[in-house]
Each structure stands twice: as structure tokens, then as C-alpha cells.
Amino acid sequence: MAEPETLDTSADPSGNYGPTEHGPSEHADDTRSRRRMITSAVWGGVPAKVNSEHGQSVKKWNKDCSWYQYGKNYGLDGCQHPGMDVGIRFGTSLFAAVGGKVVYAGRDTVFAPAHVNIETDDGEIHVYGHMSSVDSDLRVNGRVQTGQFIGESGTQNGDHLHFERRVPSSRCTSGYCAVEVDSVLVGAPQPPADPFAAGDRIEVVDPPLNLRDAAGLGGKVIDELGMGAELTVASGPQEADDYDWYEVTRDDGATGGWVAGKYCRLVDS
């Protein structure tokens, strides 16, 4: 896996890179305290708050609906939210909910600062919007596997991921209709996980990952490993503190140690 290309945000630290298709992630309305939580492998399987639902009225934060007129092309009335905004922190690793062909991957002014569109084998288009970085391995017309790392989440009027699901339909002007996303996000399978065996090449998929001098949470932290750091399994697993631990070595000759296997996956051969 290549390290993601981090986009330059120094020119505008507010995160406003041009027109945006949605309003603030912290909407000034009385529904804020009632927002639900959702868990998905797309952002590592941790609970996150839904800031904006699919189909929700946007008038409370965009009174003239000017940011959402594109929704008319996807079967909405122009004042409805076409996707779902999930309040995950800036820089969260993102994984493909469903594999398919990459139809867009890069910078953008609508889903700024960057986004990825994946066309599934069923013909659906999945939009991952407001990403801070896109994995440099992604290429337009290239393939992405389910659970593959695609980049990191970003910010646009607040840290979050905007996810849309568009299904083929002659009923909508564009040939696609924007529909509910829960079934895709919640149903996304976890990336391949341990157990690993001695000699396996593994990589970090949920950084920062502590490298410890012994198996277990009581082991001293030697280093923090970043996304895509590649390791070789020397021994394990050894169970401790509800984790399976693996002794690993590093290619750069730095001191090896022990890592929790659930935050790694096998390197593609």
C-alpha cells in the first residue's frame, strides 16, 4: 500500500476549498441531541454520530437550498440531503464499502477537498466525499477491492465523511437515483484480519499502532506505527488483554516488538 497523498490545506486552514454541497456538520437545530450513532467498517468499525441523514431537509442550514440543487438530478427535490454525513474525525482511515471500478479519485470543489467515486459490479456509484487524502494506488478505471484502504477523511464545515449511494434508474434525470445508505455502510465487511503466521507480511490499517516491547497492554511502547507500515511476523499469536499479539520485525532495521493483530492485515502478494 502506498502512503496517501496529503492535500495542502495551508492556504485555507478553515477547510473551505470552494463551493460545498452541504451545510455545517453541527447544525443549529433542535435535532442535534437526538442524532443516532452508526458503526461501519468503512471508518474502522467504531461508532460515529450521523450529522445529516439521507433525504433530510437542508433548509435549516441552507435556506435557499443553493448547495443541494444537484440533488434534482438524482430524484430529490433540491432541498433534501442526497447522502449521509458521518461525524468522524479528520484523518480517519477509510476503506471501500464495496469493491468495484474507480471512476473518480482526486481533488474537487464540490466534495472538497477531494473525493472518490467507485462503481460497483451492480452498477451503483458510491461517493466518498470531503476526503483529506486519496491513496496514491487508486487510478481511474482501476479496481478496488472490498475493504481496501482508499484514503483519509477530511473536513468541510466540520470534520466528517459525506457518503452517497446512487443506483441506476431511468426514473431520475441523471440515470441514477440517490437512495438510502445504511444497508451499504452497516453491511460493509471488515478488512481481512488475523490470525497471521510466522513469515507473513502484514501492514498497519488503523494507525497510530503502538509497537510494544512485550505482548499485552503492559508492554512498554517503543514506537507508533503509521498507516501502511509493513512488518514481518516473527511469532504469535499470543493472547493478552483481549488482543492477539504478534512479534514483528521491521524492514528498516529499527527495533522490532509486539503489535495487536486486529489493527493489521496481510499484504497483498
Side-chain angles (χ1 to χ4, degrees):
M1 175 192 299
E3 289 293 335
E5 174 193 1
T6 301
L7 304 181
D8 181 10
T9 62
S10 59
D12 186 356
S14 69
N16 295 318
Y17 295 88
T20 174
E21 96 306 340
H22 74 91
S25 61
E26 289 298 330
H27 303 147
D29 62 60
D30 59 3
T31 64
R32 181 164 52 194
S33 63
R34 298 196 297 272
R35 292 186 193 136
R36 63 191 176 99
M37 305 294 287
I38 185 173
T39 300
S40 175
V42 170
W43 52 84
V46 297
K49 184 172 287 188
V50 176
N51 292 333
S52 303
E53 299 278 2
H54 165 76
Q56 175 181 339
S57 172
V58 303
K59 290 183 178 180
K60 288 186 177 180
W61 65 90
N62 183 213
K63 291 183 179 180
D64 63 359
C65 304
S66 57
W67 298 335
Y68 298 91
Q69 292 303 297
Y70 79 96
K72 292 179 179 178
N73 295 323
Y74 299 100
L76 304 176
D77 65 9
C79 288
Q80 293 172 287
H81 195 248
M84 177 186 286
D85 288 350
V86 183
I88 54 178
R89 62 180 174 81
F90 181 94
T92 297
S93 298
L94 299 176
F95 306 91
V98 180
K101 182 176 72 173
V102 178
V103 294
Y104 187 86
R107 296 173 183 265
D108 185 34
T109 57
V110 177
F111 298 107
H115 82 278
V116 170
N117 285 5
I118 297 173
E119 181 180 8
T120 71
D121 293 339
D122 292 334
E124 295 187 2
I125 301 293
H126 295 170
V127 180
Y128 301 78
H130 306 314
M131 296 173 63
S132 63
S133 64
V134 173
D135 184 49
S136 58
D137 281 348
L138 268 61
R139 296 287 186 272
V140 172
N141 294 322
R143 291 284 301 181
V144 169
Q145 302 301 314
T146 298
Q148 180 176 330
F149 174 72
I150 60 172
E152 296 178 345
S153 65
T155 186
Q156 183 66 259
N157 295 317
D159 294 357
H160 72 283
L161 167 70
H162 174 89
F163 184 86
E164 282 186 32
R165 177 189 177 202
R166 302 169 181 172
V167 301
S169 175
S170 59
R171 182 175 62 84
C172 298
T173 305
S174 65
Y176 292 88
C177 292
V179 299
E180 61 82 24
V181 304
D182 283 70
S183 58
V184 171
L185 291 179
V186 176
Q190 293 285 354
D194 62 312
F196 308 121
D200 281 348
R201 297 280 296 163
I202 62 176
E203 62 185 355
V204 176
V205 295
D206 191 1
L209 176 59
N210 288 329
L211 180 71
R212 298 180 182 271
D213 66 357
L217 298 177
K220 180 181 178 181
V221 176
I222 302 171
D223 200 357
E224 289 187 351
L225 305 177
M227 170 60 68
E230 294 192 4
L231 310 163
T232 299
V233 176
S235 67
Q238 182 173 323
E239 187 175 353
D241 301 315
D242 296 322
Y243 291 97
D244 285 337
W245 298 84
Y246 294 86
E247 185 180 17
V248 296
T249 59
R250 297 195 274 183
D251 290 347
D252 59 8
T255 303
W258 292 79
V259 296
K262 70 175 294 184
Y263 303 115
C264 301
R265 67 178 175 187
L266 283 170
V267 174
D268 294 334
S269 57

